[in-house]
């Protein structure tokens, strides 16, 4: 059953979907590279991670607003339990797309030593109002909330991505009457492994993986003051000295 224009998402929703999806995959892979945050590269990666995370937050809020103003198209080719699972998955994705950046923002804002967040080295971003000026142990409590929430949401992201991709492939490859992929990739034909749009999605995914593995953000130019050496449990509190 080919999808009609009324069955697919709007162009704005489609662009936001793929940009945010690429950002989420990029963030996951970037996080796997942050094994030693005390090095100049580790500090630079966390700054990039923060910048991409806030960008995902802003785009997700735009996407949510757009969805509320422009209801999504009807479900096509799904039985009742599949439609219910799809709705639950979408709700959970919105919780993750918004919750992950917010919990990370809380961690940064409640750090022991305040380091300004400058998105992509250009746009200043404030701390969560009130958190940076809290005294211990209240600040420590917020830091723990941010850390635990970020960790649990990360595990949820892995699960949801697995379900989402598996479901999309099931409907694309095996359910020949379910034009699910065509809702977000107009023109995709169900039942085809080698549909050009499916191949483009795969190529785009590989490009995001390569970018996340190879990107080298600018290293900090200044060594930290002696008092700025302590680290939080999760984030560097001050930029380490740049490597020669």
């Amino acid at each position: 059953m080919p999808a009609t224009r009324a069955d697919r998402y709007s162009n704005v929703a489609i662009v936001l979907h793929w940009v945010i999806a690429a950002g989420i995959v990029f963030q996951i892979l970037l996080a796997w590279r942050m094994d030693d945050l005390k090095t100049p590269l580790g500090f630079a990666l966390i700054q990039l991670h923060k910048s991409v995370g806030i960008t995902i937050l802003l785009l997700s809020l735009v996407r949510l607003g757009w969805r509320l103003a422009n209801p999504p198209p009807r479900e096509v080719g799904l039985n009742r339990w599949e439609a219910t699972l799809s709705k639950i998955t979408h709700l959970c994705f919105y919780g993750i797309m918004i919750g992950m950046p917010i919990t990370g923002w809380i961690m940064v804002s409640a750090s022991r030593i305040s380091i300004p967040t400058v998105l992509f080295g250009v746009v200043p971003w404030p701390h969560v109002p009130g958190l940076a000026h809290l005294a211990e142990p209240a600040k420590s409590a917020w830091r723990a909330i941010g850390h635990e929430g970020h960790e649990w949401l990360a595990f949820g992201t892995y699960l949801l991505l697995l379900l989402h991709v598996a479901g999309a492939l099931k409907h694309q490859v095996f359910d020949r009457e379910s034009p699910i992929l065509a809702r977000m990739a107009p023109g995709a034909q169900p039942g085809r492994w080698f549909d050009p749009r499916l191949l483009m999605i795969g190529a785009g995914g590989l490009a995001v993986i390569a970018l996340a593995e190879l990107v080298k953000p600018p290293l900090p130019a200044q060594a930290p003051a002696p008092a700025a050496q302590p680290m939080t449990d999760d984030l560097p509190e001050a930029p380490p000295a740049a490597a020669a």
Side-chain angles (χ1 to χ4, degrees), residues 28 34 37 41 48-49 54 61 67 102 107 129 137 147 151 165 168 175 182 188 213 219 227 231:
I28 291 172
M34 297 186 299
L37 302 183
L41 178 59
L48 178 59
H49 190 73
I54 294 298
L61 292 174
R67 184 185 180 95
I102 287 179
M107 281 195 291
H147 173 247
E151 233 180 31
V165 172
D175 296 346
E213 291 297 322
L219 302 181
M231 303 281 174

Side-chain angles (χ1 to χ4, degrees), residues 34 37 46 49-50 99-115 117 127-128 131-132 136 139-154 232-237:
M34 297 186 299
L37 302 183
I46 197 65
H49 190 73
K50 289 158 57 178
M100 280 286 282
I102 287 179
T103 52
W105 189 16
I106 288 173
M107 281 195 291
V108 170
S109 302
S111 294
R112 293 188 182 93
I113 299 174
S114 179
I115 296 297
T117 296
H127 293 310
V128 175
L131 288 191
E136 298 288 350
K139 200 173 188 181
S140 178
W142 275 106
R143 195 160 55 243
I145 290 172
H147 173 247
E148 289 297 320
H150 209 66
E151 233 180 31
W152 280 105
L153 287 172
T232 66
D233 294 337
D234 308 285
L235 301 173
E237 300 291 359

Side-chain angles (χ1 to χ4, degrees), residues 95-234:
I96 282 172
M97 291 187 302
I98 295 172
M100 280 286 282
I102 287 179
T103 52
W105 189 16
I106 288 173
M107 281 195 291
V108 170
S109 302
S111 294
R112 293 188 182 93
I113 299 174
S114 179
I115 296 297
T117 296
V118 183
L119 305 183
F120 303 104
V122 176
V123 181
W125 184 262
H127 293 310
V128 175
L131 288 191
H133 303 294
L134 288 176
E136 298 288 350
K139 200 173 188 181
S140 178
W142 275 106
R143 195 160 55 243
I145 290 172
H147 173 247
E148 289 297 320
H150 209 66
E151 233 180 31
W152 280 105
L153 287 172
F155 288 124
T157 302
Y158 300 148
L159 177 60
L160 283 180
L161 282 176
L162 180 63
L163 285 174
H164 192 57
V165 172
L169 287 176
K170 171 185 178 293
H171 292 296
Q172 171 61 22
V173 178
F174 301 107
D175 296 346
R176 297 177 181 272
E177 298 300 314
S178 301
I180 297 300
L181 183 62
R183 287 156 60 87
M184 275 297 176
Q189 297 296 317
R192 295 172 59 183
W193 268 107
F194 299 104
D195 185 274
R197 289 149 188 86
L198 188 59
L199 296 177
M200 287 176 62
I201 293 169
L206 292 176
V208 172
I209 292 171
L211 179 62
E213 291 297 322
L214 299 175
V215 66
K216 293 183 179 180
L219 302 181
Q222 299 295 327
Q229 290 291 344
M231 303 281 174
T232 66
D233 294 337
D234 308 285

